[in-house]
Amino acid sequence: VEASIPEPQREAWKRNQITSFTDKDGFEKEVVRHVETTLARSMFNCDEIAAYSATSLSFRDRLITHWNRTQQRQTYRDTKRVYYLSLEFLMGRALDNAMLNVGLKNVAQGMQPLRTFAPDDWDCIIEDVIKQEHDAALGNGGLGRLAACFLDSLATLNFPAWGYGLRYRYGIFKQEIIDGYQVEVPDYWLDFNPWEFPRHDVTVDIQFFGQVNKKTDGGKTISVWEAGEIVQAVAYDVPIPGYDTPTTNNLRLWSSKASGGEFDFQKFNNGDYESSVADQQRAETISAVLYPNDNLERGKELRLKQQYFWVAASLYDIVRRFKKSRRSWNEFPDQVAIQLNDTHPTLAIVELQRILVDVEGLEWDLAWEIVTSTVKRPLYCFGYTNHTVLPEALEKWPVGLVQHLLPRHLQIIYDINLFFLQSVEKAFPNDRDILRRVSIIEESQPKMVRMAFLAIVGSHKVNGVAELHSDLIKTTIFKDFVEIYGPDKFTNVTNGITPRRWLHQANPRLSELIASKCGGKDFLKDLTLLNQLEKHIGDKQFRKEWAEIKYANKVRLAKHIKDTTGVVVNPASLFDVQVKRIHEYKRQQLNIFGVIHRYLSLKAMTPDQRKKQLPRVSIFGGKAAPGYWMAKQIIHLINSVGAVVNKDEDIGDLLKVIFLEDYNVSKAEMICPASDISEHISTAGTEASGTSNMKFVLNGGLIIGTCDGANIEITREIGESNIFLFGNLSEDVEDLRHAHTYGSHAIDPDLDKVFNEIEKGTFGTPHDFSAMIAAVRHHGDYYLVSDDFHSYIETHQLVDEAYRNQDEWVAKCITSVSRMGFFTSDRCINEYAEEIWNVEPLLVDRH
Ligand code: 7GP
């Protein structure tokens, strides 16, 4: 590449090359420069925000040079790249991560210049600066956070990889709790965001609506899609630094804008002011908000528009990059691996086929061989990851809506389906029903496009996210496809988390202690090295330090609880945590019913008996989708129980019930290290994997859980004696549900007492909670709350007993951490790279 630049220019660039800071002095100089010149402030008005801004800009400068070099290197070598398409990237804060990954957090510690510039009463320390940053909350829950962990691992392992997503103006809403109820407040996060780079020169025109016309061109009939509306996609790039490597990958987020400028001046000049603004606003609406549903699909037109807008812009970009290499089309799967994060980007399959056939003029069959990577083996183009078996989350779009919005795509979907069904018919000539079952078009009223089926037909590999989940998709929702394609198309990649953020950043003291026993920080890049901890379990001093760190983390959380809720909790209590999206299948209702049971038991005791009880703090957190009424009732019940229990003088410290407002990534970083036991208690077979279970164990907490998702593999790794499992098994769920519906459904007597207490009005107006109770008593108890209640309560008693023996408890925690190596997202990415993408790492030289 360099050779194309004339010698004198090249020399001038080299001579003037930017040198990044490497020490405290260099860093402080940069901070002062940014405060003065970039922010146009002085030492007299340098507040916390300015300190954050200048620190970020200084680290950002460092990242940019690495980022540029990484991109140049990847372009020059032109090896296969991974494109991770995800509607959600739940990134959290960037500054701390950038400092740690670059390896220079120490130079920022102390912040000498800002300390001097700041007012006397402000003790400027780096932790306060970090807290100024607004979370980048472009996601709902597990699916979006997984994408963020994967980006961290892709960069750390030096894979040439890009993320593609949407730049929502509003991320997931901010949750406030008012009078015990959730209230949603918009999350405007873009006020000052130093981590994104607008690329006003990288734009794509995206079309919608209109009609398809046939034209003949040299004896060939081609389809021409005449647009009804055109919207412009503008790229915003976010650098993704790897840990301890110069590799800095790119996350490209698309923002929507009216095509052809701000607004239609013609209309404006003709006096049609309202309509000129309306067009602009309609265009900008596409990337305006993240849909706030987790594990639920609502089938809204704007959502489909978002999907196509993002997919079309990303594919245009990918194809443009591929075409620069002047290779032949059948090398496309050799250069490009596209991972579909759930079915949201499935239209990418259709869009690529459209580009190849309509725009590039390829024959249908050749184009389809390229799309499905059957053109030459083993080359992989599309891979599809499924994240849920919940029927309400499986995406389906009405045929009429697709026809209206994307007329040409509907034709292509019908053709893909036709050829697919013909091949199925050939393979299963005696099975008429299979065609109905596997058709991409569901013959319902109205007809629907089944996105998961389209994703399977167009992908080379389909994976689930934990062993049980991957087995379940093969035996339930995608069973017929295993028959059709054989089992090899389906695989498992158990989820993982990045230890950089979820151990080193969230729990720096524990990370240091571990490093001192594991021969340094290498475990952050090879998490299996944690196994060296096990030989130190007998070391009393080590166990003591371990316990001290946990206690300090609990003190920090207790302070946050006091500051935000006013409730004082004793850090010596057992901290019992359930933080995740609120959902009936995740069963926060089971947890709060269990808490009520504990409260009633305590109330029934004599003061002497009470003295022998173990104090507990039950901590909840999580957002409910704004339209999910039952989830909101669950939040209300938790807060109502807290309001009664927390001021009950008979109870005191023995039980506190806390609901933490606005759970998000940065709060998770504070909460995970402070947990003694965390709850992962979904109805067996419903939680695809779960990833917070991994975060809690990695931070030295134990878990209580069902035999579901990754809990099963965590148990296998850490040993059955280090986890508190309870409840019915996935294989029995169907029979139990059937028995509820058709047999007499006797409810657990202890749970019945809990319900009676709620109905007596102990926790406020009973009517507020009647639907929650009725779901169990009268509507079939779909989530098996009653079936699992007894086992749940008993297992919590085992937790109490185990916690009394602190020495053994700490030993269990250390043993568990030492065996968590498998759950790093680095292992996931290596598995994807090998089995699904067929890509190799590419090293970038250090400067
Ligand atoms: C989640 C699953 O519920 C969770 O079990 C898993 O750990 C996570 O994905 C990452 O694989 N699913 C979603 O967040 C979701 O919205 C519907 O799935 C598409």
Side-chain angles (χ1 to χ4, degrees), residues 88 141-144 146 293-296 342 344 386-388 393 465 495 585-586 686-691:
E88 304 188 11
L143 171 143
L146 186 76
N293 302 316
D294 182 86
N295 270 291
L296 177 75
D342 217 276
H344 316 144
N386 172 281
H387 294 268
T388 186
V465 291
N495 282 166
Y585 88 82
K586 295 179 189 282
T686 63
E687 187 71 275
S689 161
T691 43

Side-chain angles (χ1 to χ4, degrees), residues 84 88 140-147 150 293-297 303 341-344 385-390 392-395 464-466 469 493-496 581 583 585-586 682 686-694 708-710 832:
Y84 198 81
E88 304 188 11
N140 277 285
L143 171 143
R145 184 54 230 176
L146 186 76
F150 280 6
N293 302 316
D294 182 86
N295 270 291
L296 177 75
E297 203 47 62
R303 168 81 165 187
N341 199 23
D342 217 276
T343 53
H344 316 144
T385 306
N386 172 281
H387 294 268
T388 186
V389 293
L390 298 189
E392 65 269 31
L394 293 182
E395 250 190 310
V465 291
H469 170 64
V493 183
T494 298
N495 282 166
R581 286 301 288 254
H583 210 298
Y585 88 82
K586 295 179 189 282
S682 50
T686 63
E687 187 71 275
S689 161
T691 43
S692 75
N693 40 9
M694 303 165 190
D708 200 17
Y832 278 99

Side-chain angles (χ1 to χ4, degrees), residues 732-748:
D732 300 322
V733 168
E734 211 185 293
D735 287 349
L736 287 165
R737 280 182 182 157
H738 190 81
H740 296 173
T741 323
Y742 297 103
S744 64
H745 177 213
I747 153 164
D748 179 272

Side-chain angles (χ1 to χ4, degrees), residues 143-398:
L143 171 143
R145 184 54 230 176
L146 186 76
C149 282
F150 280 6
L151 291 184
D152 184 78
S153 286
L154 281 162
T156 299
L157 298 170
N158 303 299
F159 284 105
W162 283 48
Y164 275 109
L166 279 182
R167 179 182 178 268
Y168 302 106
R169 189 144 27 101
Y170 298 95
I172 190 66
F173 62 88
K174 185 172 174 325
Q175 178 194 53
E176 287 180 4
I177 301 295
I178 297 179
D179 297 333
Y181 288 96
Q182 166 174 300
V183 173
E184 299 95 19
V185 180
D187 163 65
Y188 186 78
W189 68 291
L190 288 170
D191 247 357
F192 174 75
N193 178 9
W195 304 104
E196 64 169 15
F197 291 80
R199 304 287 192 194
H200 294 295
D201 54 330
V202 182
T203 61
V204 188
D205 278 345
I206 307 297
Q207 52 184 69
F208 295 101
F209 307 110
Q211 68 271 329
V212 182
N213 299 321
K214 295 254 183 247
K215 287 211 177 112
T216 37
D217 180 17
K220 219 173 129 182
T221 319
I222 49 167
S223 301
V224 180
W225 175 23
E226 316 274 7
E229 180 185 341
I230 294 179
V231 176
Q232 195 176 57
V234 183
Y236 284 72
D237 288 347
V238 181
I240 307 293
Y243 175 75
D244 193 26
T245 167
T247 299
T248 306
N249 282 336
N250 195 23
L251 167 60
R252 178 157 284 178
L253 303 174
W254 299 104
S255 182
S256 62
K257 207 174 138 182
S259 144
E262 291 298 294
F263 57 79
D264 192 330
F265 271 101
Q266 193 125 35
K267 280 186 182 169
F268 182 71
N269 290 335
N270 292 338
D272 196 358
Y273 175 73
E274 267 176 39
S275 140
S276 71
V277 175
D279 287 352
Q280 180 205 353
Q281 279 175 349
R282 187 150 29 106
E284 288 178 4
T285 303
I286 294 181
S287 62
V289 312
L290 163 76
Y291 275 87
N293 302 316
D294 182 86
N295 270 291
L296 177 75
E297 203 47 62
R298 285 260 171 142
K300 292 268 192 279
E301 174 172 328
L302 181 61
R303 168 81 165 187
L304 188 61
K305 258 187 134 173
Q306 287 188 332
Q307 292 186 351
Y308 180 66
F309 171 82
W310 150 63
V311 153
S314 307
L315 263 186
Y316 185 91
D317 213 36
I318 293 167
V319 166
R320 171 166 63 189
R321 201 166 299 125
F322 172 77
K323 284 173 81 168
K324 273 200 204 151
S325 68
R326 303 181 173 281
R327 294 167 193 262
S328 85
W329 279 110
N330 55 24
E331 284 180 86
F332 190 80
D334 199 15
Q335 291 298 105
V336 172
I338 299 175
Q339 193 63 26
L340 307 175
N341 199 23
D342 217 276
T343 53
H344 316 144
T346 302
L347 283 171
I349 290 165
V350 189
E351 177 69 0
L352 181 58
Q353 181 72 4
R354 187 186 74 84
I355 293 171
L356 294 178
V357 174
D358 293 359
V359 183
E360 301 294 335
L362 270 62
E363 294 299 328
W364 176 279
D365 287 348
L366 176 60
W368 189 240
E369 281 178 5
I370 291 164
V371 172
T372 53
S373 358
T374 42
V375 62
K376 220 176 1 151
R377 283 175 188 277
L379 299 176
Y380 310 139
C381 190
F382 287 104
Y384 155 49
T385 306
N386 172 281
H387 294 268
T388 186
V389 293
L390 298 189
E392 65 269 31
L394 293 182
E395 250 190 310
K396 288 178 190 174
W397 291 103

Side-chain angles (χ1 to χ4, degrees), residues 3 67 72 88 92 105 157 263 271 301 459 505 512 530 730:
W67 191 28
Q72 278 160 24
E88 304 188 11
K105 188 170 179 180
L157 298 170
F263 57 79
E301 174 172 328
S459 294
Q505 178 176 319
E512 286 301 320
L530 285 176
S730 148

